[in-house]
Amino acid sequence: MNALEDKKYLQPLTRPSTFKLRTGKIEIRRIPGRKFISYQGHGNPESNMEFQLGVEAILRVSAQIKEMLRHPRRKYLLLQSPILEIEWRSDKKNQFDYRDKNKWIWNLLTIQSFELSRGILEKALLKTREDINPRILKKICYYRITSGLYATCLHPGPYSSEHPAYRELLKSIYMEGYRPC
């Protein structure tokens, strides 16, 4: 996929109308493969300094990647600002306790251009070494999801009320004849 197709794919994700979904509406969608950079850690994101440093680092590296992929002959813009996703999970399968944030494992992800490669990421990491702690930069990884079916659900409320939405999401997956992987 070239960068023009990349922009066309990302456009719906950056339009405000995309976020006019009904709370709790579960959808199973076919999603094309995507490239991300990620930063993984654990603990309570509200009080964990590593989480805050990770967010800053991943956004700065994303900005550097965008700058590196910019080309004067292009007649389009790369993604204006990275979309930051945060995944939460537990180290024990099916035992995620939304109340005990100190045991959370989190993964920060920013969606990237299809043009991203491991080499470009390595160069971006080198260029940001002066501004960001190398220990934090060392944990930024290239991450790719394959195309396939994904179950999605919008939950705009607090973490403490997410559990019922997760239960409904899993229930819908099984009712549709799928299984989580």
Side-chain angles (χ1 to χ4, degrees):
M1 189 174 287
N2 67 32
L4 287 173
E5 291 169 322
D6 198 33
K7 183 180 180 205
K8 185 177 177 183
Y9 172 81
L10 292 173
Q11 194 174 21
L13 298 175
T14 58
R15 263 191 258 134
S17 62
T18 302
F19 301 104
K20 292 180 183 175
L21 300 172
R22 284 194 341 251
T23 301
K25 182 181 178 196
I26 295 165
E27 296 180 23
I28 296 181
R29 304 174 171 190
R30 180 159 300 280
I31 305 285
R34 287 295 328 163
K35 293 182 179 182
F36 296 87
I37 58 172
S38 72
Y39 181 92
Q40 191 176 85
H42 66 280
N44 186 339
E46 293 168 352
S47 61
N48 188 331
M49 190 60 158
E50 183 186 5
F51 180 83
Q52 295 165 16
L53 292 172
V55 168
E56 180 184 355
I58 205 165
L59 292 176
R60 282 197 183 190
V61 171
S62 288
Q64 184 63 50
I65 290 168
K66 178 184 170 194
E67 189 61 35
M68 291 170 66
L69 293 176
R70 187 181 310 243
H71 190 278
R73 291 189 186 138
R74 289 187 175 150
K75 295 180 181 175
Y76 57 88
L77 295 172
L78 293 170
L79 185 62
Q80 290 301 307
S81 59
I83 297 169
L84 180 67
E85 292 187 37
I86 306 171
E87 299 175 334
W88 316 103
R89 68 176 193 281
S90 170
D91 58 352
K92 295 180 180 172
K93 194 173 183 181
N94 299 325
Q95 292 187 2
F96 181 76
D97 184 356
Y98 66 91
R99 294 167 294 208
D100 191 356
K101 296 177 186 174
N102 292 322
K103 292 184 180 176
W104 284 10
I105 296 172
W106 40 265
N107 193 21
L108 304 170
L109 299 160
T110 58
I111 197 166
Q112 298 293 319
S113 168
F114 283 97
E115 296 177 42
L116 177 68
S117 66
R118 291 180 196 275
I120 291 171
L121 175 58
E122 289 302 317
K123 288 177 186 173
L125 291 170
L126 285 172
K127 287 186 175 193
T128 54
R129 279 200 190 274
E130 293 177 12
D131 301 331
I132 301 169
N133 182 331
R135 183 184 64 81
I136 299 293
L137 283 178
K138 206 176 221 181
K139 292 179 73 176
I140 294 179
C141 303
Y142 176 88
Y143 183 81
R144 185 176 187 158
I145 62 167
T146 57
S147 61
L149 293 176
Y150 289 84
T152 62
C153 178
L154 174 66
H155 177 76
Y159 301 127
S160 59
S161 65
E162 276 184 330
H163 192 65
Y166 282 129
R167 262 197 324 262
E168 286 301 311
L169 184 66
L170 283 172
K171 183 177 162 186
S172 292
I173 290 169
Y174 286 115
M175 286 176 59
E176 292 290 327
Y178 300 109
R179 65 176 178 77
C181 55

